[in-house]
């Protein structure tokens, strides 16, 4: 499924044990009913980008979506 990015914010995650930080991007989308949701991405996106969302299974075994990485 293709979705248009409406907003992006940078988020820095810090490992509490090692102190290492990792930069990720919180990518926001609007669904067909007008609700706003987000996914995290390691790739930078900008408002107006169109990305492909694909099904994925998270660590808890629940079905979710993820942004298909570009090569």
């Amino acid at each position: 499924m293709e979705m248009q990015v409406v907003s992006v914010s940078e988020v820095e995650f810090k490992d509490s044990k090692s102190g290492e930080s990792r930069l990720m991007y919180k990518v926001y989308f609007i669904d067909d009913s007008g609700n706003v949701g987000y996914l995290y991405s390691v790739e930078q996106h900008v408002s107006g980008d169109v990305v492909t969302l694909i099904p994925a299974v998270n660590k808890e075994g629940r079905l979710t979506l993820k942004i298909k990485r570009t090569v």
Side-chain angles (χ1 to χ4, degrees), residues 9-13 22-28 40-41:
S9 62
E10 290 184 358
V11 180
E12 187 175 345
F13 289 99
R22 179 178 182 178
L23 182 64
M24 292 190 71
Y25 302 93
K26 202 172 186 179
V27 184
Y28 294 87
Y40 287 104
S41 174

Side-chain angles (χ1 to χ4, degrees), residues 4 9 22 31 33 41 44-45 48 58:
Q4 185 173 10
S9 62
R22 179 178 182 178
D31 71 7
S33 62
S41 174
Q44 186 174 11
H45 298 279
N58 66 17

Side-chain angles (χ1 to χ4, degrees), residues 15-30:
D15 186 300
S16 58
K17 293 180 183 177
S18 69
E20 289 183 41
S21 62
R22 179 178 182 178
L23 182 64
M24 292 190 71
Y25 302 93
K26 202 172 186 179
V27 184
Y28 294 87
F29 303 95
I30 298 176

Side-chain angles (χ1 to χ4, degrees), residues 4-67:
Q4 185 173 10
V5 175
V6 294
S7 183
V8 179
S9 62
E10 290 184 358
V11 180
E12 187 175 345
F13 289 99
K14 258 193 181 169
D15 186 300
S16 58
K17 293 180 183 177
S18 69
E20 289 183 41
S21 62
R22 179 178 182 178
L23 182 64
M24 292 190 71
Y25 302 93
K26 202 172 186 179
V27 184
Y28 294 87
F29 303 95
I30 298 176
D31 71 7
D32 293 340
S33 62
N35 294 315
V36 176
Y38 65 89
L39 294 171
Y40 287 104
S41 174
V42 294
E43 293 182 3
Q44 186 174 11
H45 298 279
V46 294
S47 297
D49 281 354
V50 175
V51 297
T52 302
L53 302 181
I54 57 175
V57 177
N58 66 17
K59 293 177 184 177
E60 293 82 32
R62 299 182 83 176
L63 187 62
T64 186
L65 294 172
K66 71 178 184 177
I67 299 172

